[in-house]
């Protein structure tokens, strides 16, 4: 396979680029996509279950909001926890089962947690038990960034953005499937059946888990080159493509080989160690130190002088994305059911069968908005770059939301929410491409996981705005708050310190202000 070329060497990125996207990556995409679709279904059902449970159990608007908020609270904990676990024990694994297998967490534990709590929540006898079980579902769903980071690490740099957009289509498929399922199930069988049936897609993660490979990048960061090579050889066989000639080395070792040829360039931002001996690959002692690196040290590295600006801005963007995306989902159902109550000229009160039918139809229609949002992101992310793509779509979203500060006819309301959903789907897609690209492999999942956790805070708060204020007939104030959050997120994107379009992922440890445009420093 990778024989010949004595003295030559290549990195994981070189191998992936030469072999291209093939059968192996398609299988990885299918597995990660199943997890993405399952997560989307668990999130989308919140817009249907909340109003139904409120009506059946006589809940207040605050209690209804809590059904959604506790899911995000669980995700806040889960995203950070599973990120730390994944970076320290592998994308695929987490706790030991047998000696030759270092662990079994990540995907497996999150899937078990999500499925078990999701199914049991359908049997919840009262409000408290439902809240507790939905919080556990959130903890499991918090492992979502592990899937995206795991998939990303098998993708060649040249078309990584496009394939991550394709990966995001599984989320959209999940939202459309859930809206369709609710339309079929809710009117006849009720919310319990919807909860139970929505948990079953997660079973696919458990059934096919044993076939999932570890990331070769992860093995390289731990100095386990032979295991990384084994994965690359499997990719080579399935894709029917040859590995590069020479010997596989980590990015850091490649950097040492070519260091004298490097040409610093101010317009590239690279991940490279400030001291050679500080690299986790540099010595067995440092390798052990990297293996035992705790969550606190990972968080401190995210806030290091080289990363702090990108990290804080990324947190603002994730907060704005989660607040606005999930807020729009909830707004679709709340505006559909509450406009008749808040409109002084309306003779209706409560939720009639017609109102309920409109709810399912409106949510389904706005869910389809995610398809053009993904197409838009795919069309521009590798052309105009990550930053301009996100900032443009955030600001256009503000334009769509502005008329909703005042009561609009139902069809116009749905159309405006459709447009806003297109934009926010696009920004959500691009930020999940951009975020892993700004961090080194050693803390990549932690970085995305912590940012995702901050986003979950937005998810916790948004039901209070989208549900609480709308229920209180304060539509203008609710939309104004959404406008402010979306605008601030777009502004934060403008201040990101660098663009990552077309640059390779890196295995190195710390961002260096000056860097090389050659392969001696693996650029973003």
């Amino acid at each position: 396979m990778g024989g010949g070329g004595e003295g030559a060497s290549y990195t994981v990125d070189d191998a992936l680029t030469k072999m291209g996207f093939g059968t192996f990556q398609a299988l990885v995409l299918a597995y990660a996509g199943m997890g993405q679709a399952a997560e989307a279904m668990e999130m989308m059902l919140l817009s249907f279950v909340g109003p139904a449970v409120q009506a059946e159990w006589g809940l207040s608007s605050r209690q209804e909001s809590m059904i959604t908020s506790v899911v995000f609270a669980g995700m806040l904990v889960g995203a950070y926890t599973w990120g730390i676990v994944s970076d320290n024990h592998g994308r695929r694994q987490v706790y030991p089962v047998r000696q030759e297998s270092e662990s079994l967490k990540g995907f497996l534990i999150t899937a078990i947690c999500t499925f078990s709590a999701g199914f049991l929540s359908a049997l919840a006898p009262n409000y408290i038990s439902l809240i507790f079980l939905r919080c556990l579902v959130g903890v499991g769903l918090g492992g979502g960034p592990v899937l995206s980071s795991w998939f990303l690490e098998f993708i060649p740099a040249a078309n990584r953005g496009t394939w991550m957009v394709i990966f995001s289509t599984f989320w959209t498929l999940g939202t459309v499937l859930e809206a369709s399922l609710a339309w079929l199930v809710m009117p006849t069988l009720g919310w319990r059946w919807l909860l139970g049936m929505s948990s079953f897609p997660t079973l696919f993660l458990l059934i096919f888990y044993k076939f999932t490979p570890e990331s070769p990048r992860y093995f390289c960061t731990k100095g386990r080159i032979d295991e990384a090579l084994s994965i690359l050889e499997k990719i080579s066989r399935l894709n029917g493509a040859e590995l590069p000639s020479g010997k596989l080395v980590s990015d850091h070792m490649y950097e040492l080989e070519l260091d004298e040829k490097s040409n610093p360039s101010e317009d590239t931002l690279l991940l490279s160690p400030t001291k050679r001996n500080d690299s986790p690959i540099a010595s067995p002692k440092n390798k052990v130190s990297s293996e035992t690196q705790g969550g606190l040290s990972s968080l401190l590295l995210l806030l290091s002088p080289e990363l702090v600006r990108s990290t804080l801005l990324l947190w603002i963007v994730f907060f704005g994305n989660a607040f606005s995306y999930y807020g729009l989902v909830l707004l679709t159902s709340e505006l559909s059911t509450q406009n008749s109550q808040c409109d002084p000229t309306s003779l209706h009160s409560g939720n009639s069968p017609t109102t309920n039918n409109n709810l399912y139809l409106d949510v389904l229609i706005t869910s389809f908005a995610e398809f053009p949002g993904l197409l838009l992101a795919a069309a521009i992310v590798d052309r105009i770059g990550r930053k301009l793509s996100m900032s443009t779509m955030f600001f256009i979203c503000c334009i769509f939301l502005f008329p909703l500060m005042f009561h609009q006819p139902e069809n116009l309301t749905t159309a405006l929410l459709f447009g806003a959903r297109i934009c926010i789907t696009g920004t959500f897609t691009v930020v999940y491409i951009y975020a892993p690209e700004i961090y080194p492999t050693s803390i990549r999942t932690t970085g995305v996981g912590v940012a995702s956790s901050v986003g979950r805070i937005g998810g916790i708060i948004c039901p209070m705005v989208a549900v609480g204020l709308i229920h209180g007939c304060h539509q203008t104030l609710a939309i104004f708050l959404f406008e402010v959050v979306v605008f601030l997120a777009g502004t934060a994107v403008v201040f990101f310190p660098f663009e990552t379009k077309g640059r390779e992922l890196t295995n190195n440890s710390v961002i260096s202000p000056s860097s090389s445009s050659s392969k001696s420093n693996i650029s973003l």
Side-chain angles (χ1 to χ4, degrees):
M1 291 255 177
E6 185 176 353
S9 59
Y10 64 92
T11 65
V12 171
D13 269 313
D14 294 330
L16 292 176
T17 298
K18 184 176 184 198
M19 292 186 290
F21 190 102
T23 303
F24 185 93
Q25 284 88 351
L27 293 173
V28 171
L29 172 62
Y31 184 85
M34 284 190 291
Q36 185 85 331
E39 179 180 350
M41 292 181 69
E42 288 287 353
M43 298 307 302
M44 274 298 296
L45 64 80
L46 298 173
S47 62
F48 303 108
V49 171
V53 173
Q54 182 198 34
E56 182 174 322
W57 288 352
L59 304 179
S60 65
S61 60
R62 179 177 174 277
Q63 289 175 312
E64 180 190 347
S65 300
M66 190 62 64
I67 296 173
T68 299
S69 294
V70 294
V71 177
F72 288 100
M75 293 176 79
L76 189 151
V77 175
Y80 179 67
T81 302
W82 302 131
I84 293 294
V85 162
S86 179
D87 282 333
N88 287 308
H89 298 283
R91 305 295 186 245
R92 175 181 182 272
Q93 307 163 336
V94 183
Y95 69 81
V97 231
R98 39 188 194 278
Q99 283 186 317
E100 67 271 17
S101 170
E102 98 178 19
S103 52
L104 241 185
K105 245 180 194 168
F107 297 166
L108 183 61
I109 301 303
T110 59
I112 291 174
C113 183
T114 303
F115 170 70
S116 301
F119 183 78
L120 289 175
S121 63
L123 307 175
N126 53 50
Y127 176 74
I128 297 299
S129 59
L130 179 63
I131 289 293
F132 174 74
L133 289 167
R134 297 314 295 174
C135 184
L136 288 182
V137 169
V139 173
L141 293 177
V146 175
L147 285 170
S148 60
S149 293
W150 177 70
F151 173 67
L152 181 70
E153 293 183 4
F154 290 98
I155 304 301
N159 51 11
R160 191 170 60 238
T162 300
W163 280 107
M164 282 302 288
V165 172
I166 293 173
F167 171 72
S168 299
T169 61
F170 284 90
W171 177 281
T172 301
L173 290 172
T175 63
V176 172
L177 179 59
E178 185 65 27
S180 302
L181 186 63
W183 201 355
L184 294 173
V185 171
M186 288 287 287
T188 55
L189 300 176
W191 60 271
R192 291 185 184 275
W193 279 87
L194 182 64
L195 281 174
M197 295 172 68
S198 298
S199 67
F200 278 98
T202 309
L203 275 178
F204 285 108
L205 291 177
L206 301 174
I207 294 171
F208 295 104
Y209 169 76
K210 64 180 180 179
F211 300 108
T212 59
E214 182 57 89
S215 161
R217 295 182 192 276
Y218 169 78
F219 281 139
C220 276
T221 62
K222 302 303 180 183
R224 296 158 59 177
I225 303 300
D226 289 342
E227 291 168 275
L229 180 59
S230 176
I231 299 295
L232 292 175
E233 288 174 343
K234 184 181 293 185
I235 297 174
S236 175
R237 289 193 299 270
L238 284 176
N239 287 7
E242 291 292 321
L243 285 168
S245 299
K247 176 183 177 183
L248 174 65
V249 296
S250 71
D251 290 334
H252 175 67
M253 292 168 66
Y254 199 64
E255 177 185 324
L256 292 179
E257 289 182 17
L258 302 180
D259 188 51
E260 293 183 358
K261 301 178 183 178
S262 61
N263 298 309
S265 171
E266 291 183 3
D267 64 348
T268 55
L269 192 62
L270 311 169
L271 293 171
S272 58
T274 55
K275 294 182 181 180
R276 304 293 187 214
N277 292 333
D278 287 343
S279 169
I281 308 300
S283 70
K285 180 180 179 181
N286 284 332
K287 177 175 176 287
V288 172
S289 176
S290 177
E291 293 278 3
T292 58
Q293 179 182 17
L296 180 60
S297 59
S298 296
L299 182 59
L300 291 176
L301 186 55
L302 294 177
L303 298 175
S304 64
E306 296 86 355
L307 284 169
V308 64
R309 179 179 171 187
S310 295
T311 295
L312 294 179
L313 290 172
L314 192 65
W315 290 356
I316 294 173
V317 174
F318 265 82
F319 179 93
N321 256 324
F323 183 93
S324 51
Y325 176 86
Y326 296 111
L328 287 172
V329 172
L330 293 173
L331 276 176
T332 304
S333 60
E334 293 303 323
L335 290 177
S336 179
T337 58
Q338 293 300 318
N339 269 344
S340 60
Q341 297 182 18
C342 296
D343 184 357
T345 64
S346 175
L347 299 178
H348 300 287
S349 62
N351 294 337
S352 66
T354 301
T355 300
N356 286 330
N357 287 333
N358 289 344
L359 163 62
Y360 304 133
L361 182 60
D362 290 345
V363 174
L364 182 61
I365 290 173
T366 54
S367 295
F368 274 104
E370 298 196 12
F371 286 110
L374 290 169
L375 292 175
L376 177 62
I380 64 178
V381 66
D382 283 327
R383 286 183 171 85
I384 67 175
R386 281 58 160 150
K387 289 179 59 177
L388 186 56
S389 297
M390 285 189 284
S391 59
T392 300
M393 288 187 285
F394 270 126
F395 295 140
I396 294 177
C397 182
C398 288
I399 296 174
F400 279 114
L401 286 175
F402 182 77
L404 292 175
M405 292 182 67
F406 312 99
H407 178 76
Q408 303 293 341
E410 182 179 349
N411 289 340
L412 180 57
T413 296
T414 302
L416 291 170
L417 289 171
F418 187 93
R421 186 83 170 265
I422 289 175
C423 295
I424 219 63
T425 297
T427 60
F428 226 136
T429 301
V430 177
V431 78
Y432 266 104
I433 297 171
Y434 183 81
E437 293 176 328
I438 66 175
Y439 292 121
T441 300
S442 59
I443 58 168
R444 179 169 298 129
T445 310
T446 300
V448 179
V450 173
S452 182
S453 292
V454 174
R456 306 313 178 194
I457 297 175
I460 293 171
I461 297 173
C462 78
M464 304 174 191
V465 177
V467 178
L469 290 179
I470 297 296
H471 270 230
C473 299
H474 301 299
Q475 181 174 330
T476 298
L477 177 58
I479 301 302
F480 174 76
L481 291 176
F482 277 101
E483 288 270 23
V484 170
V485 171
V486 173
F487 182 82
L488 289 177
T491 303
V493 171
V494 174
F495 288 99
F496 274 131
F498 59 95
E499 175 60 64
T500 63
K501 181 184 71 170
R503 298 180 182 177
E504 295 177 354
L505 293 177
T506 176
N507 288 341
N508 296 324
S509 302
V510 184
I511 287 185
S512 171
S514 61
S515 54
S516 164
S517 58
S518 77
K519 245 183 190 169
S520 61
N521 285 306
I522 302 302
S523 71
L524 289 173

